[in-house]
Amino acid sequence: MQPGLVIFYITLRDTACSQQNIDLVISNPLIINVSNGTVLKNHDILIKGNLINAIVPHRKKYHSAILVADASNRYLIPGLRYMHMHFGGGGSLVAKNKALLPLFIANGITAVKDAAPDISMQVLQWRAVIASGTLLEPASFTSGSKLKGTNSIRAR
């Protein structure tokens, strides 16, 4: 599996999973099925760690130790990917570009692909920090340095 790939492993069940296998319940969202365009109502999403464990019919009560996020009348969709963006400005704007990354997450974008060649090495460094779990930012990919004929890639 590729890093940052947003995949939903969903098991539809009529009965709830064992409650000790649940860290978080997203309670009663309007779940958008992007495969067929339908909206699943009156269900809860059970999460263990960072994976969806199950989607089950909505329940009003869960064990008190389980975090329950009420998502009634709110939509839930898979993470979006912004696959052609440009971090720009070279080294002088690295900090400003990095400061924008949390805004992607806030808008449902869980992965970005930088098509600009001027800070590719910095994007690769961000990937390492994001993978360490110390920052909540989208998975970042880069197209790499621009090729302009022979000897176009300089050692950094």
Side-chain angles (χ1 to χ4, degrees):
M1 183 182 338
Q2 292 178 337
L5 187 60
V6 178
I7 295 179
F8 286 98
Y9 292 103
I10 298 175
T11 305
L12 294 175
R13 300 182 189 170
D14 289 332
T15 58
C17 293
S18 168
Q19 288 197 22
Q20 67 250 33
N21 292 328
I22 303 168
D23 294 327
L24 169 67
V25 175
I26 300 176
S27 177
N28 205 26
L30 299 167
I31 303 168
I32 304 300
N33 182 331
V34 295
S35 296
N36 62 21
T38 60
V39 177
L40 182 62
K41 299 177 182 179
N42 300 314
H43 281 71
D44 296 335
I45 299 174
L46 309 181
I47 298 174
K48 176 69 176 172
N50 61 357
L51 294 176
I52 293 174
N53 192 327
I55 297 178
V56 299
H58 175 59
R59 293 176 44 187
K60 299 227 184 258
K61 297 248 180 193
Y62 285 90
H63 187 276
S64 62
I66 297 171
L67 179 61
V68 177
D70 182 11
S72 299
N73 298 314
R74 296 184 179 174
Y75 289 91
L76 187 108
I77 63 171
L80 303 173
R81 291 178 159 227
Y82 189 176
M83 298 313 292
H84 187 111
M85 57 153 320
H86 292 266
F87 289 119
S92 65
L93 293 179
V94 167
K96 288 184 180 184
N97 281 301
K98 185 177 180 186
L100 294 174
L101 291 175
L103 295 175
F104 289 106
I105 295 292
N107 287 286
I109 298 169
T110 58
V112 297
K113 180 178 172 242
D114 174 36
D118 55 348
I119 65 167
S120 300
M121 299 312 285
Q122 186 62 48
V123 172
L124 294 174
Q125 289 174 3
W126 293 341
R127 283 175 46 177
V129 175
I130 293 164
S132 74
T134 57
L135 294 172
L136 179 60
E137 297 176 356
S140 298
F141 302 89
T142 181
S143 58
S145 299
K146 185 186 272 186
L147 300 176
K148 296 182 189 175
T150 357
N151 301 323
S152 63
I153 299 176
R154 300 184 306 255
R156 296 190 194 266

